[in-house]
Amino acid sequence: MTYGIAMLIDEGLVVTVDSRTHAGVDHVSTFRKVTFFENPGERAIFLMNSGNLSVSQSVVNLLSDGFPEPDRPQRMTAAPTMLDAAKMVGAAIREVYRVDATDLRAQGIDHSVLMILGGQIKGDRMRLFQIYSAGNFIEASPDTPYFLIGEMKYGKPIIDRVIRNSTPLNDALKCTLISMDSTMRSNVSVGLPLDVAAIRRDTFRFAVRRRIEDGDGYFDDLRRRWGEGLRSVFESMPGPTWCA
Amino acid sequence: MTYGIAMLIDEGLVVTVDSRTHAGVDHVSTFRKVTFFENPGERAIFLMNSGNLSVSQSVVNLLSDGFPEPDRPQRMTAAPTMLDAAKMVGAAIREVYRVDATDLRAQGIDHSVLMILGGQIKGDRMRLFQIYSAGNFIEASPDTPYFLIGEMKYGKPIIDRVIRNSTPLNDALKCTLISMDSTMRSNVSVGLPLDVAAIRRDTFRFAVRRRIEDGDGYFDDLRRRWGEGLRSVFESMPGPTWCA
């Protein structure tokens, strides 16, 4: 499985995703589930993918190398706006299915994907999209400033409690890591390493692109402090007085 | 949907379940999802149900009023042991399906159920079972001292962090209420009132059978303190130093 978080807040965009992939319990691997398209100072875009890995990788290849047909947008690095970029991802998903879907279905393979695209291109505003298997998409808004994919339920409560549009970028990063920790503790199909990135608004470059591996000092300290803090709050609260 | 928690710890059994039922978003109702069978000092048993409500209620009716056939166990109040009680629930589920399943399937209705049975009968040890639609069941053990049904993922992390076999009964009750709060905040299909109960080991009576309604003093205070405590721990932790 996958757990991925993307947030569009006042200060910018934050993305955190795990890297555990499995085809059956005896075939667990590590694959990067986020791709970065960056021309520093001009554009910074990420594409996070979940679902069928071969379809996702084929989509990324199309977006990186360009579509074969001359009448389609060529490459993610050349998309004029974020809306064009979202349409381009949708078109790439449809193109991969046009070629592969019949054979995948014939083998009884679930070939659905779900992608999250976020970023900013100079001259355009910062945007965050969730793109479906049919190539259609929706956009995040201040009412719902985040998208979650995969095993999202374990880590959603802390996001619902903490994240507002005004949350500082560093606090949003911290929140995604705590949310990921809760998920990894309750579901073994989500695991390290994590890929973390952030883009500050109107900078058109990644403020951070980081891989968090087992033994990462900051993440280990955060997990320990969070666990201790939760238990301390739990213990400080009175129990019910109505249980004899 | 439903969210229900049942735990078997050293001190006894704890059960907490919401009461929101819906058949489509325009038909949301309140139904008690746990039934108590108590003969104080001799037996205290609860049966929590999720899934198809008509099947669940028919099962409870059979267990309360007795099976029609003379060669089957008669009533939950007469089961000699908890294992007999679990078999009786399985037999009741099979009996309801024997009568209703064909017509339910003909209407395209999902008629699956999932039940949790816990309690203690004098002369027998305290046990906790999860019983499936096929009438088969599994039992909780010290390795996995709790069962969750329904929308369980939002509230699972706090249980995984806090609950041990040695957790005091009152702390376990407190934990189930916090877990329920996290779930209600992230999923509107789970809602008040809650039904809460606990049985101390070797007492054969309910230490508490309580309904928590909107405006309950203890629960409101707990939710407020927990939310404030979480935000306080979150704010006290340092943010990442690696994001420019």
Side-chain angles (χ1 to χ4, degrees), chain A residues 151-158 160-164 167 169-175 177-178 181-183 185-187 196 198 200 207-208 210 212 216 218 221-223 225-227 229-231 233-244, chain B residues 151-158 160-164 167 169-175 177-178 181-183 185-187 196 198 200 207-208 210 212 216 218 221-223 225-227 229-231 233-244:
Chain A
E151 279 291 353
M152 67 180 70
K153 293 185 177 183
Y154 305 103
K156 186 168 180 285
I158 185 63
D160 287 337
R161 280 184 202 272
V162 175
I163 295 298
R164 303 289 175 265
T167 303
L169 194 80
N170 267 315
D171 279 358
L173 278 172
K174 189 170 71 173
C175 179
L177 295 176
I178 291 169
D181 175 45
S182 296
T183 306
R185 277 178 195 277
S186 288
N187 188 312
V196 180
R200 290 193 185 277
V208 63
R210 186 182 180 86
I212 293 180
D216 181 278
Y218 175 69
D221 182 59
L222 194 72
R223 302 181 82 172
R225 283 178 192 244
W226 181 247
L230 280 196
R231 276 188 295 275
V233 172
F234 180 81
E235 282 159 20
S236 76
M237 294 192 306
T241 53
W242 30 255
C243 181
Chain B
E151 280 290 352
M152 69 180 70
K153 293 185 178 182
Y154 305 102
K156 186 168 180 284
I158 185 62
D160 287 337
R161 279 183 203 276
V162 175
I163 295 298
R164 303 288 173 267
T167 303
L169 194 81
N170 268 313
D171 279 359
L173 278 171
K174 189 169 72 172
C175 179
L177 294 176
I178 292 170
D181 175 46
S182 296
T183 306
R185 278 178 195 276
S186 289
N187 188 312
V196 180
R200 291 194 185 276
V208 64
R210 187 181 178 86
I212 293 181
D216 181 277
Y218 175 69
D221 182 61
L222 194 73
R223 301 181 84 172
R225 284 177 191 241
W226 181 245
L230 280 195
R231 278 188 294 276
V233 172
F234 181 80
E235 281 157 20
S236 75
M237 294 191 305
T241 54
W242 32 253
C243 180

Side-chain angles (χ1 to χ4, degrees), chain A residues 180-196:
Chain A
M180 195 60 78
D181 175 45
S182 296
T183 306
M184 291 193 298
R185 277 178 195 277
S186 288
N187 188 312
V188 294
S189 77
V190 176
L192 293 171
L194 308 177
D195 288 300
V196 180

Side-chain angles (χ1 to χ4, degrees), chain B residues 70-83:
Chain B
D71 62 327
R72 295 208 188 181
Q74 288 301 302
R75 289 184 170 82
M76 185 59 83
T77 48
T81 67
M82 283 304 299
L83 183 61

Side-chain angles (χ1 to χ4, degrees), chain A:
Chain A
M1 277 299 291
T2 295
Y3 178 44
I5 310 157
M7 297 176 182
L8 175 59
I9 50 179
D10 294 346
E11 286 191 9
L13 271 166
V14 164
V15 57
T16 297
V17 62
D18 86 312
S19 60
R20 190 162 293 177
T21 305
H22 64 105
V25 291
D26 57 348
H27 190 172
V28 176
S29 320
T30 297
F31 282 95
R32 189 180 288 273
K33 297 175 192 170
V34 62
T35 307
F36 303 111
F37 302 91
E38 185 179 22
N39 177 11
E42 189 269 332
R43 74 181 55 212
I45 300 171
F46 67 81
L47 179 66
M48 179 162 64
N49 58 271
S50 69
N52 185 293
L53 187 63
S54 81
V55 172
S56 298
Q57 290 189 344
S58 298
V59 167
V60 170
N61 286 335
L62 273 184
L63 296 169
S64 302
D65 298 346
F67 286 72
E69 293 92 328
D71 62 327
R72 296 208 189 178
Q74 288 301 301
R75 288 186 172 81
M76 185 59 80
T77 48
T81 67
M82 283 305 299
L83 184 61
D84 291 318
K87 289 178 182 168
M88 199 182 291
V89 174
I93 294 172
R94 289 170 181 156
E95 173 65 15
V96 172
Y97 283 141
R98 191 185 63 76
V99 175
D100 291 347
T102 305
D103 291 314
L104 286 167
R105 262 195 294 268
Q107 300 292 333
I109 292 171
D110 176 7
H111 54 62
S112 67
V113 291
L114 184 63
M115 300 202 169
I116 296 183
L117 175 79
Q120 192 175 13
I121 298 169
K122 201 156 195 172
D124 188 21
R125 63 192 163 91
M126 186 167 254
R127 300 178 81 164
L128 178 65
F129 298 96
Q130 178 160 295
I131 305 164
Y132 301 96
S133 287
N136 58 328
F137 50 85
I138 60 172
E139 183 174 7
S141 75
D143 290 331
T144 307
Y146 63 83
F147 287 131
L148 309 176
I149 56 178
E151 279 291 353
M152 67 180 70
K153 293 185 177 183
Y154 305 103
K156 186 168 180 285
I158 185 63
I159 296 173
D160 287 337
R161 280 184 202 272
V162 175
I163 295 298
R164 303 289 175 265
N165 292 289
S166 58
T167 303
L169 194 80
N170 267 315
D171 279 358
L173 278 172
K174 189 170 71 173
C175 179
T176 65
L177 295 176
I178 291 169
S179 176
M180 195 60 78
D181 175 45
S182 296
T183 306
M184 291 193 298
R185 277 178 195 277
S186 288
N187 188 312
V188 294
S189 77
V190 176
L192 293 171
L194 308 177
D195 288 300
V196 180
I199 311 167
R200 290 193 185 277
R201 200 177 285 268
D202 299 331
T203 64
F204 314 105
R205 70 183 74 237
F206 282 93
V208 63
R209 279 164 56 167
R210 186 182 180 86
R211 172 154 278 204
I212 293 180
E213 310 261 6
D214 199 21
D216 181 278
Y218 175 69
F219 187 52
D220 283 359
D221 182 59
L222 194 72
R223 302 181 82 172
R224 186 182 52 76
R225 283 178 192 244
W226 181 247
E228 287 171 4
L230 280 196
R231 276 188 295 275
S232 162
V233 172
F234 180 81
E235 282 159 20
S236 76
M237 294 192 306
T241 53
W242 30 255
C243 181

Side-chain angles (χ1 to χ4, degrees), chain B residues 24-59:
Chain B
V25 291
D26 57 349
H27 191 171
V28 176
S29 321
T30 298
F31 282 96
R32 190 180 288 272
K33 298 175 190 169
V34 61
T35 307
F36 303 110
F37 302 91
E38 185 179 22
N39 178 12
E42 188 269 333
R43 72 181 57 210
I45 299 172
F46 67 82
L47 179 66
M48 178 161 66
N49 58 271
S50 69
N52 186 293
L53 186 63
S54 80
V55 172
S56 299
Q57 290 188 345
S58 298
V59 168

